[in-house]
Amino acid sequence: MKRFAIIFSSLLVCAQLFSGENRHVFQNALESVPVQFVRPSGWCPYPSYYDRAGWDAFLKDKKDVLIKGGEEYLDYKWEMILATDYLGFERTGDRLAMQEPSFHNMRAITALTLAELAEGKGRFIDQLINGLFLQTERTSWVWSGHEYRKASGRSLPDYRDIFIDLGAQHVGLQVAVAYYFFKDEFDKVDPAINAAIRHALREKIFDPYMDPAKWKSQSWLGFEDEPYEWESWHPVNNWNTWTNDMVVKICLFAQEDHELLMKELRQAAISLDLYLTNVDMDGGCNEGAAYWEHVGGELVSYLIAMNDATGGRFGCFDDPQIRAMGLYNSRMYAGDGWSVNFCDCKARYTGEYDLIYLYGKMCGVQEAVDYSLLLNSFSKTPGQIELTPDASYLHREMEGLRFGKSFSEDYAEALANAGGDLEQMRKNLRKNVPEVTWYPGTGHAVFRNRAGWVLGAKGGHNAEGHNHNDVGSFVLYIDGMPVLSDVGNCTYTRQVFNRGERYSIWSMQSQWHNLPVVNGTGQPEGKGYAASWCRVGKTGRTFSLEMSGAYGEGASCNSLVRSLTLGSASLDITDRFSLSARKAADSEHFITNGDVSIIRDGEIRIDYHSADGRRGGSVRMLYPACLTAEIQTRELDDPVNSDVWGPVMHRIVRRSADNAPLSGRYCIRIVR
């Protein structure tokens, strides 16, 4: 107990030293709540296991679906995770050998838990105990790809060095939810079951979360070694919001010591405030729309849980920064299931409409609510939050059940307002999205015109979260179809997150983005390789930046200003350059999955198409006579790429002469 008291007082010192622009949103909210309103038991917004009438009313027509989902796992053979599955990560870079059996077991636990809550007859308890007991006997819940964070740097779990990662928090929350609802039933079978669960949660979640000795491996907290000074915290990414949210819910479900619970909740508030301090007030997400669910989505999930636990007294939903974060995915949407994407972000990403909906409702952001309804209109269950009885994220499915009625009512109202016309409803839901969105913190901008063109562009630097070397790159969509693209992420292996190997991957190199190669030189990685300025025109749809600094000294580039102008039915790209010495040719690179053909000198045709290939269009790309054109094709052998783009991507290369002038400009125009 003394150890926890020391940690907590140190955290308060840490919080007090953050001043000026540092945010204290969650700390202040927690401090304003009388301690007796944070309840370690009885806080849960769902009926107790024994309240059968309550569950019948809560689930309604979903009850049979959940029971059937659980029945499919009554004879499930629980999968073992072998030592060599962990070691495979450091031997070959493979993380799926360990993660896949873990996910299979988690899906079984979700299905069995939901089925037992729905039926209430004890039929699923024994099989659920099998799965939970297996989880408690594991040395670590950490994914093999993250075990390197411990002191040894090895991928095999070590009981002497336990910490929390994305895998641990997911398993921990499943175990905590099952314990919360069924602990009395488990005791009837054997008290050793609950003892094992409590021991596992203490060893794998509660103790490491509060232990300063673990803060290096748990860098997502944002804390460094003592003493606490402003310079001692470091930037954090989506792990911060994702893992803090999950740990908080684990604590609310399963931490039965009220004093320890309050310490854990205060630590989470301090750490989450570090995230708000670390990101910009404009609500931008430098990791992209595909990571938003683990940033904004987890943040609103945390707020809802804390609001439940404090009897509605926690608040924070009206904070301007938090509200702005709820708009991000809507502003990145390009249509037909595509999003403006940079870095490791997927392009084919429709967003997590259930989380976006909750964000909009709880924070009063109507555009987010509208966007969630739009996404759902393309889903398998229009007008309903889709239920996945065996999803790996148990609590997420429960929240979908909880807020499903409200979602369906809002969808029905939107459809009625459109006179029952689905296409008109979709148009109505996007009518308030602005033509220009600018995130100066990340250097991201999105432009739209009335002809259905969407342009996304970026500035920034080459050490961003999930970075690609892509300062100055852009993407173009027309009528919800990709014309010029960013390949996005690939299958995650050791190489992807190894600094020495990451940029050997072709899709992360600047040469495979919509960028110039200057003087024969592409962009290196590193925060110093950045745009020196980046701006959006006050009138019109114009984006410009000075990006010579992104190429380094090897390019001998004094200045490189890129300007993008989206017209009513055109896109103009102008690169103005000035070199101190000519070493090699320049080339302009453009990436597309459309069909490309050279029509004549100075003109290329791109036939683009929808994701299902049933519709499409064409544009002409006009370029100066001083450039010669070549079409290169790359086969996509990674399913993460090919599932989005199809079997190949094309690179359009326009190359200057080897002795091109030291200064000038390359003007390229795209028209229907």
Side-chain angles (χ1 to χ4, degrees), residues 160-225:
R160 298 168 298 180
D161 194 351
I162 303 297
F163 62 98
I164 305 170
D165 80 323
L166 305 181
Q169 41 106 332
H170 270 286
V171 175
L173 184 53
Q174 279 203 317
V175 172
V177 170
Y179 173 77
Y180 178 88
F181 284 109
F182 306 125
K183 57 186 172 185
D184 291 343
E185 293 300 301
F186 295 161
D187 266 344
K188 293 176 185 178
V189 177
D190 191 325
I193 299 164
N194 285 331
I197 289 174
R198 286 190 291 266
H199 175 78
L201 288 173
R202 182 174 63 253
E203 177 187 57
K204 296 175 174 64
I205 302 294
F206 298 144
D207 285 356
Y209 188 64
M210 298 300 293
D211 186 353
K214 303 295 183 184
W215 289 351
K216 185 174 182 180
S217 53
Q218 294 169 175
S219 59
W220 48 267
L221 279 166
F223 307 144
E224 292 284 3
D225 298 333

Side-chain angles (χ1 to χ4, degrees), residues 236-263:
V236 290
N237 59 12
N238 67 81
W239 280 44
N240 176 279
T241 48
W242 191 355
T243 310
N244 275 306
D245 168 45
M246 301 286 267
V247 169
V248 162
K249 285 183 286 202
I250 293 168
C251 295
L252 290 172
F253 275 114
Q255 177 57 271
E256 293 167 333
D257 185 312
H258 189 267
E259 183 179 353
L260 294 183
L261 173 66
M262 292 305 298
K263 290 177 172 62

Side-chain angles (χ1 to χ4, degrees), residues 238 285-293 328-329 332-333 337-351 444 458 464-468 470 475 477 485-490 492 502 507-508 513 640-641 644-645:
N238 67 81
C285 177
N286 74 351
E287 295 170 286
Y291 288 91
W292 181 91
E293 68 172 290
Y328 181 79
N329 268 19
M332 293 294 112
Y333 187 63
W338 298 95
S339 283
V340 169
N341 69 306
F342 300 113
C343 302
D344 272 354
C345 183
K346 300 175 184 176
R348 190 72 183 159
Y349 180 73
T350 55
H444 293 181
K458 75 178 297 289
E464 296 169 338
H466 293 269
N467 181 70
H468 289 198
D470 60 354
V475 294
Y477 291 84
S485 307
D486 187 310
V487 177
N489 69 335
C490 59
Y492 281 172
R502 180 177 179 88
S507 58
M508 301 186 185
H513 290 78
V640 171
N641 299 147
V644 174
W645 302 110

Side-chain angles (χ1 to χ4, degrees), residues 498-669:
N498 183 294
R499 183 172 297 179
E501 298 177 275
R502 180 177 179 88
Y503 297 99
S504 65
I505 300 171
W506 66 274
S507 58
M508 301 186 185
Q509 300 167 4
S510 65
Q511 294 91 326
W512 279 95
H513 290 78
N514 298 313
L515 284 167
V517 168
V518 180
N519 223 355
T521 304
Q523 296 183 9
E525 71 274 10
K527 193 168 186 177
Y529 300 103
S532 57
W533 56 260
C534 184
R535 63 176 67 105
V536 168
K538 293 182 180 179
T539 59
R541 294 175 291 264
T542 301
F543 178 85
S544 58
L545 75 165
E546 167 56 80
M547 59 182 191
S548 58
Y551 287 83
E553 295 181 1
S556 299
C557 188
N558 298 324
S559 176
L560 177 59
V561 176
R562 164 162 281 190
S563 298
L564 305 171
T565 302
L566 181 65
S568 59
S570 63
L571 172 64
D572 288 294
I573 306 120
T574 302
D575 290 336
R576 294 179 174 85
F577 63 93
S578 174
L579 308 179
S580 60
R582 171 62 67 186
K583 301 177 182 178
D586 302 319
S587 56
E588 294 279 359
H589 290 189
F590 297 93
I591 313 302
T592 182
N593 73 328
D595 298 320
V596 187
S597 54
I598 300 174
I599 304 301
R600 60 180 66 88
D601 289 346
E603 182 177 346
I604 287 174
R605 173 174 169 150
I606 302 174
D607 296 318
Y608 56 90
H609 48 77
S610 61
D612 58 18
R614 290 185 295 179
R615 61 191 179 94
S618 298
V619 294
R620 293 183 298 149
M621 181 177 284
L622 309 176
Y623 56 95
C626 64
L627 301 178
T628 59
E630 178 186 359
I631 311 302
Q632 301 171 349
T633 299
R634 185 173 190 112
E635 294 185 3
L636 301 181
D637 53 5
D638 186 332
V640 171
N641 299 147
S642 59
D643 286 351
V644 174
W645 302 110
V648 299
M649 293 295 283
H650 303 292
R651 179 166 66 176
I652 303 169
V653 179
R654 264 138 322 193
R655 188 172 286 106
S656 75
D658 291 340
N659 61 347
L662 293 179
S663 62
R665 64 179 182 175
Y666 303 121
C667 299
I668 296 163
R669 183 174 176 83

Side-chain angles (χ1 to χ4, degrees), residues 16 25 30 48 86 91 125 181 203 275 284 299 337 397 402 457 467 472 491 543 551 561 604 613 638 670:
Q16 292 164 359
V25 176
L30 189 60
S48 76
Y86 282 95
R91 289 173 175 174
I125 290 291
F181 284 109
E203 177 187 57
Y275 183 83
L299 202 60
E397 294 303 302
R402 177 183 173 192
N467 181 70
T491 296
F543 178 85
Y551 287 83
V561 176
I604 287 174
D638 186 332
I670 298 172

Side-chain angles (χ1 to χ4, degrees), residues 411-429:
Y411 186 95
E413 181 180 354
L415 188 59
N417 289 340
D421 185 329
L422 181 60
E423 287 305 316
Q424 185 60 48
M425 181 190 81
R426 290 169 175 165
K427 291 178 182 178
N428 291 348
L429 292 173

Side-chain angles (χ1 to χ4, degrees), residues 81-83 85-87 98 138-144 147 150 152 154-163:
I81 303 174
L82 304 177
D85 294 335
Y86 282 95
L87 291 170
M98 177 269 150
R138 290 173 56 190
T139 301
S140 169
W141 294 336
V142 173
W143 288 340
S144 61
E147 282 284 357
K150 63 181 182 288
S152 70
R154 303 298 301 276
S155 62
L156 189 66
D158 187 335
Y159 74 90
R160 298 168 298 180
D161 194 351
I162 303 297
F163 62 98

Side-chain angles (χ1 to χ4, degrees), residues 193-408:
I193 299 164
N194 285 331
I197 289 174
R198 286 190 291 266
H199 175 78
L201 288 173
R202 182 174 63 253
E203 177 187 57
K204 296 175 174 64
I205 302 294
F206 298 144
D207 285 356
Y209 188 64
M210 298 300 293
D211 186 353
K214 303 295 183 184
W215 289 351
K216 185 174 182 180
S217 53
Q218 294 169 175
S219 59
W220 48 267
L221 279 166
F223 307 144
E224 292 284 3
D225 298 333
E226 297 181 88
Y228 297 101
E229 296 179 357
W230 171 244
E231 293 78 8
S232 73
W233 76 276
H234 56 259
V236 290
N237 59 12
N238 67 81
W239 280 44
N240 176 279
T241 48
W242 191 355
T243 310
N244 275 306
D245 168 45
M246 301 286 267
V247 169
V248 162
K249 285 183 286 202
I250 293 168
C251 295
L252 290 172
F253 275 114
Q255 177 57 271
E256 293 167 333
D257 185 312
H258 189 267
E259 183 179 353
L260 294 183
L261 173 66
M262 292 305 298
K263 290 177 172 62
E264 290 156 350
L265 296 182
R266 288 187 175 106
Q267 170 153 312
I270 293 170
S271 179
L272 285 163
D273 277 338
L274 286 178
Y275 183 83
L276 294 185
T277 298
N278 184 63
V279 298
D280 295 283
M281 290 294 294
D282 59 24
C285 177
N286 74 351
E287 295 170 286
Y291 288 91
W292 181 91
E293 68 172 290
H294 302 309
V295 179
E298 299 293 347
L299 202 60
V300 77
S301 184
Y302 161 78
L303 289 174
I304 291 171
M306 289 299 295
N307 218 41
D308 290 336
T310 58
R313 298 167 186 261
F314 192 71
C316 305
F317 295 108
D318 60 350
D319 179 83
Q321 184 183 22
I322 293 173
R323 283 171 54 87
M325 291 169 70
L327 290 167
Y328 181 79
N329 268 19
S330 172
R331 302 295 171 84
M332 293 294 112
Y333 187 63
D336 196 31
W338 298 95
S339 283
V340 169
N341 69 306
F342 300 113
C343 302
D344 272 354
C345 183
K346 300 175 184 176
R348 190 72 183 159
Y349 180 73
T350 55
E352 304 294 332
Y353 63 78
D354 54 337
L355 291 176
I356 295 168
Y357 175 77
L358 291 181
Y359 212 110
K361 293 296 283 189
M362 301 304 293
C363 297
V365 181
Q366 187 60 42
E367 185 183 325
V369 173
D370 292 346
Y371 179 54
S372 71
L373 300 178
L374 172 79
L375 295 179
N376 175 259
S377 75
F378 294 101
S379 74
K380 298 176 183 177
T381 58
Q384 299 181 49
I385 293 179
E386 185 176 1
L387 179 63
T388 308
D390 64 348
S392 59
Y393 195 164
L394 170 58
H395 186 258
R396 174 87 167 272
E397 294 303 302
M398 297 177 70
E399 291 289 83
L401 291 166
R402 177 183 173 192
F403 292 99
K405 180 181 178 182
S406 171
F407 183 90
S408 296

